Amino acid sequence: MNSFTVTVNGQPREVQGARPHTTLLNWLRDGGLTGCKEGCAEGECGACAVLVSRPDGRGGTRLESVNACLVMLPAMNGQEVITAEGIGSPGHLHPVQHEMAVRGGSQCGYCTPGFVVSMAAEYYRPERTSRPERKDGEHHAPNGFDIHALSGNLCRCTGYRPIQDAAHALGTPPEDDTLGTLRT
Ligand code: FES
Ligand code: FES
């Protein structure tokens, strides 16, 4: 496969001559998107998480959190990726980033982009707000957030309570949400 395109944060990026073992994580970082971090490089810490648009089984798409250290770049041919940089910016924080900031969900910050990505995937999960009540409600907050969505993300310094508080403070995505166009 000599060349193909991956859409990153809404912009098509041409890939030329990718080596089969180049990971999505290394390619993104080499391209300047250093928000995704390498922690373990073996799928156990979530520091490298990115959003990938996947079929939702109903003719639309949904955003899923994926560990970029485990994905080989050629497998992303034609796919759409959103990194932490594409979720929000310092002047326009995404609700997930805002809640993490105001509730003290970040200290050194190394894990934070990965948490933001995983939290955003759960934020946009359609069933979260349409059917928040669950019989196994012990893992679901009143806003429908399933805290298991963060079970692949490790933090070594903040402690998980402020991060959980941020997740449980999230509301419903507004209709004009720009990332929301990928949800339908
Ligand atoms: S660096 Fe990818 S899961 Fe840890
Ligand atoms: S804020 Fe330092 S590892 Fe999470």
Side-chain angles (χ1 to χ4, degrees), residues 119-138:
M119 206 177 285
E122 177 65 4
Y123 174 73
Y124 289 116
R125 183 171 62 86
E127 298 82 5
R128 178 180 71 83
T129 49
S130 63
R131 291 188 288 114
E133 72 294 340
R134 289 276 302 260
K135 289 186 177 142
D136 60 347
E138 61 184 307

Side-chain angles (χ1 to χ4, degrees), residues 37-41 43-48 67 69:
K37 310 297 186 199
E38 182 177 285
C40 64
E44 294 185 353
C45 75
C48 63
N67 287 331
C69 71

Side-chain angles (χ1 to χ4, degrees), residues 39-97:
C40 64
E42 55 186 25
E44 294 185 353
C45 75
C48 63
V50 297
L51 292 171
V52 176
S53 184
R54 297 282 196 214
D56 67 359
R58 299 190 298 268
T61 58
R62 64 190 304 153
L63 297 172
E64 291 187 359
S65 176
V66 169
N67 287 331
C69 71
L70 295 182
V71 178
M72 296 301 122
L73 179 59
M76 298 305 297
N77 180 359
Q79 303 220 35
E80 180 145 18
V81 177
I82 300 169
T83 68
E85 293 91 339
I87 291 177
S89 62
H92 297 89
L93 291 181
H94 185 277
V96 165
Q97 295 166 323

